[in-house]
Amino acid sequence: MSVKAFELVPAVEWEQLTAEKARAAVECIECCGEHLYVCTSDCVLHHFLLEARTTAKGRHTYRTQKLLQKVLNSKKPAAELKAASALDRLVVLCDAAISLVDMLTLEAVPSGGAKLRGVTAFSVNENPVTGDAFCVEMAVVSARRRAVHICTVHEDRVQVLKEVVTPEQPCALAMDGYFLCLALPMQYMILNYSTGVSQDLFPYNSQERKPIVKRIGREEFLLAAPGGLGMFANAEGISQRAPVSWSEGVLAAAVCFPYVVALDEGFVTVHSMLDQQLKQTLSFREGHVLQDFEGKVLLASTKAVFVLVPLPLETQIQDLLASRRVEEALVLTEGAQRNIPKDKFQMLHKRILQQAGFIQFGQLQFSEAKEHFRRGQLDVRELISLYPLLLPASSSFTRCQPPLHEFADLSQLAQGDPEKVERCKHFLIGYLREARAGEAANGFREDVDTALLKLYAEAGHDSLLDLLASENACLLADSAPWLEKHHRSALECLLWVRVVNGDLCDPTCTNLFQYIVDFLSRCPNLDLVWKYADWALQKDQKIGVQIFTKRPISKELLNADDVITYLQKHHRALLLYLEHLVLERKVQREKYHTHLAVLYADQVLGLLSRPADTREHLASARTKLQHLLRESSLYRVQLLLGKLQDSELLLVERAILHGKLDEHDTALHILVHQLRDTTAAEDYCTWASAARGHAHRRRLYHHLLGRYLDPDMPGGPRAVEAVDLLNRHSEVFDAVQVLKLLPEAWSLGLLHPFLCGALRASVHACRTTQVALGLARAENLQLHRDRLKYRGGPILMSEKKGCHLCHNTFRDPECMCLPGGTPVHTHCAAQKLQDTPIKRRLDRTHTSNHT
């Protein structure tokens, strides 16, 4: 499978190398930085300046400027060029001799000691051992002897240091440190010229194919092997990389890590050193020169020079990922580690692993995806965000830019397949569980735990209870509605309870306890209500009892007796619940009223035994008790009276209870003579006579007046209170009876208000009675006239005629006539007479003693 690793970019055209009439071919090239040297077949050495450029569309181009050209002092063109930039010299192999040329002027260095003859090949040592920065080490193959000369190149001379004898004359060589990799006529070998130790590698017939020996790194070489293989060998003669399979007709090779570039008669092939696969093939005719110069690969045909520009590593990796070639992308990324700064590589490697994980996740290869996510340290929220609504609404997460994948959400990934959706959710559950157990969720535990809770709830997973019961960071605002949606009310309550208890922290939720109570008051699941009611009551009885008091009547499934039994150990809640039943719901049951009254009485008695600092509480409690005793008629009076009988401080309450038994004399005795509170006595009379008629009220007030005037009571008669009572309530009393009770020694001035009021009331009653009597006589006279008027005329009756009042037909001839002669039933006429205004006024008037 192919990947675009290089672009072939023209650098030097043929027109720039030769005159129009004399076309010369490229023989060899050398590049040092931006300086390019080309030697052509007409023995001309050209010097160009290469300037790399990038177009607006991202394409690479080169602008070439010709600086100089020089005809070599030789009949043959140069076979090889090598730049020694530290010396500003070019080492030129031309006509079996090595000479030095100035890199800037292209002038030959005087040949006093700057020329070495009888040379077939040479190699510069890229890993020098002399330590002299002002010379260049190289190995030279002698044309006359079976030997290799170790030389140093200086600015003005080439100096032979050592001669190394070889078994046969080498055809090609490469040098690294003390090691020489030699291509002999029939085999390759490694030779340490310092120790003389050699190691045969493998056979190769140089007569059939040109041997290739290329240094690719420290003490490592690339060799052309039989069978169209590119073999790697280190200084110990061991191959630590698998060979690449190129064509049998390879002419030259170069290395641009992590690729091996090979040139044959019609193509340029690119193989990976990491997985040995063919990555790219470029068509290239008449090529015969391929070399790499400090990471730059140059390629020459007979007519032009080109540059193989490597595409950025990230571009290559993204192309592989786009083709779903995950393993190749990872191999390329990891293999390029040595060429990328450590920090940058770590970031790149993590991102590629994450992208690879999402590709395999999309292919449902979950185990591989999980491993890539783990190694790439994926922000787990990237994965959660694929699942709609799993991230909390309060999450600040935004997806990585540029995106790690092409999926909008899980629906797009699964393409509507429910089975795929379920498999992806199952994978996420497992992945989130592992993330919680490790460090992958650090910093965003709320998002992870909330998403896991939602998945558990949706799937009905058994681990949901374990999650809620353990330490977790689920956000209540998101979790509770989800649990309710999937009918997990019991676990929803457990989550709330843990937050309220402080086992879990959720700053987004305020007044949560009240929310729980409201939920339980609406919950139809009684098992759940009973389960958490005790917890709520232990937290706050006043709020907790609302579980029972706020339940809508339409949804009332709880038996009040069961609730009262349950609340026995929660005294305050029991009191509030009974108040709800009796005072708010108006439940008319004797035991509820009695129970509430007993609780009120116990509360008051308890407060009486405490210090004076409970005065306000005592006053409030007594007010509640008195109100209940007055308003309710269902409690057991004798039971309450027995509880309060011995208390000399609860006289008002005792008086009310006696009033309930119609023991008004006893009640008034308590209020007047024991409590000595006239206002309370008058209020009692008003309360006890309410809804029982004017006569009963008058009787009670006469009882009270009698108490004030009783000479046998302790302290004697209470004249002042009696006068005040008469003067304030003159309309209630029967003046005749009052005057009989009053002592004759009292002056009229004391009773002036009472007498005036009584006289006014008597006159008013008399006159009202006279008016009513006159109206009744007038009505009677009118009826008598109407009767006489219609007596003489006949009234025709039949079974077909109907009564004008009830509209029923007559069954017998007995009837009466309305004014106008309309017949009606006798009972209908009697009923109509009862409803007349005159009759009603007469009835009211007859209630007065003055009528």
Side-chain angles (χ1 to χ4, degrees), residues 239-256:
S239 179
Q240 295 179 323
R241 303 177 192 268
V244 296
S245 178
W246 54 35
S247 68
E248 291 278 358
V250 170
L251 303 176
V255 172
C256 181

Side-chain angles (χ1 to χ4, degrees), residues 655-699:
I656 295 173
L657 292 171
H658 283 292
K660 287 291 184 177
L661 297 173
D662 283 337
E663 297 174 354
H664 302 298
D665 285 340
T666 305
L668 291 172
H669 175 80
I670 293 172
L671 296 174
V672 173
H673 299 290
Q674 291 182 256
L675 185 62
R676 295 182 179 276
D677 188 341
T678 57
T679 303
E682 293 178 20
D683 291 342
Y684 171 83
C685 293
T686 303
W687 162 74
S689 62
R692 298 187 65 175
H694 182 79
H696 187 71
R697 185 180 183 191
R698 171 173 290 173
R699 189 160 53 250

Side-chain angles (χ1 to χ4, degrees), residues 597-614:
V598 169
L599 290 179
Y600 278 161
D602 290 340
Q603 184 181 36
V604 171
L605 292 173
L607 290 172
L608 286 174
S609 62
R610 296 180 187 176
D613 58 357
T614 59

Side-chain angles (χ1 to χ4, degrees), residues 12-19 22-27 29 36-40 42 44 46-48 66 69 301-305:
V12 180
E13 301 291 344
W14 197 9
E15 289 77 8
Q16 296 175 280
L17 295 173
T18 59
R23 300 296 185 181
V26 175
E27 292 292 333
I29 58 176
L36 174 65
Y37 301 90
V38 181
C39 187
T40 53
D42 55 0
V44 178
H46 303 266
H47 181 194
F48 295 95
K66 190 169 186 177
Q69 70 179 40
S301 65
T302 56
K303 299 179 180 180
V305 179

Side-chain angles (χ1 to χ4, degrees), residues 273-339:
M273 297 170 62
L274 304 174
D275 58 9
Q276 293 73 48
Q277 299 296 315
L278 176 65
K279 301 299 181 182
Q280 187 177 7
T281 301
L282 297 170
S283 177
F284 192 78
R285 302 294 180 183
E286 299 182 3
H288 69 106
V289 178
L290 175 64
Q291 291 185 9
D292 56 270
F293 306 96
E294 301 172 352
K296 188 181 298 181
V297 180
L298 269 69
L299 180 65
S301 65
T302 56
K303 299 179 180 180
V305 179
F306 299 83
V307 179
L308 278 176
V309 180
L311 267 67
L313 183 65
E314 293 188 36
T315 302
Q316 299 180 43
I317 295 171
Q318 294 302 325
D319 289 344
L320 288 171
L321 291 175
S323 303
R324 302 293 189 269
R325 293 154 65 182
V326 171
E327 293 305 321
E328 291 184 62
L330 292 174
V331 168
L332 178 58
T333 304
E334 293 165 2
Q337 180 176 0
R338 71 179 190 180
N339 294 341

